[in-house]
Amino acid sequence: MVSAEQIQRLLEEAKQVRLQAYAPYSGYQVGAALLTKSGRIYGGCNIENASYGAAICAERVAVVRAIAAGETDFVAMAVVADSPEPGSPCGICRQFLAEFAPELPLIMANLDGKVRKGSLDEYLPYAFNKDYFRDEEAN
Ligand code: THU
């Protein structure tokens, strides 16, 4: 369960870190905030590149920051963007998140305060994961 207070904290953090986005090409700034079991929140913003394909989304930045800090137990993630609808994680980010938290609660919002709540398994059903490998040793 994610409390109303945790959701509020995550949304605030995502909104704040969104301001660090480096998005000169798309002009679309995204902020993500990932709450881990330790109670810490890892923020991420999107970082684009002149070589467009090298861009990285806010969600993955938050995840790599948490992992690099030694945290792999994820509780919930908030995503905020200035879009008509609440910001929605792209397919690559859904896949990336599914590696660590296939049922991660997601709180998505836009700057107008429109919020949508869901969970990763709703957004990425039948996610590809290590269970698909036959060779047990590969896991
Ligand atoms: N982007 C994110 O950071 N997260 C999302 O949820 C969707 C897309 C970024 C990637 C790129 O920098 C810009 O938004 C436009 O696609």
Side-chain angles (χ1 to χ4, degrees):
M1 250 295 277
V2 192
S3 70
E5 194 201 323
Q6 286 172 319
I7 290 175
Q8 224 28 59
R9 271 180 67 208
L10 281 171
L11 285 171
E12 272 160 31
E13 179 62 31
K15 210 167 151 185
Q16 224 26 60
V17 69
R18 175 183 165 274
L19 300 174
Q20 309 295 338
Y22 175 73
Y25 304 103
S26 71
Y28 185 72
Q29 299 178 305
V30 186
L34 179 63
L35 174 66
T36 60
K37 211 173 167 187
S38 71
R40 289 194 188 84
I41 293 177
Y42 294 86
C45 57
N46 54 328
I47 305 168
E48 300 186 344
N49 193 275
S51 176
Y52 288 12
I56 184 165
C57 295
E59 294 88 331
R60 275 175 289 148
V61 170
V63 171
V64 297
R65 290 189 67 205
I67 303 274
E71 300 222 38
T72 51
D73 256 322
F74 300 165
V75 175
M77 174 179 266
V79 180
V80 173
D82 186 13
S83 38
E85 289 296 313
S88 180
C90 80
I92 298 173
C93 289
R94 292 176 196 199
Q95 179 65 31
F96 201 79
L97 282 164
E99 184 74 19
F100 303 98
E103 294 173 8
L104 187 70
L106 293 171
I107 303 108
M108 295 153 277
N110 65 13
L111 291 188
D112 305 325
K114 186 166 180 180
V115 178
R116 182 171 291 144
K117 292 179 197 149
S119 61
L120 188 58
D121 51 319
E122 269 179 73
Y123 281 77
L124 188 66
Y126 302 103
F128 178 71
N129 59 36
K130 63 183 166 56
D131 300 338
Y132 285 79
F133 296 123
R134 276 193 193 279
D135 179 10
E136 293 296 318
E137 286 178 25
N139 298 329

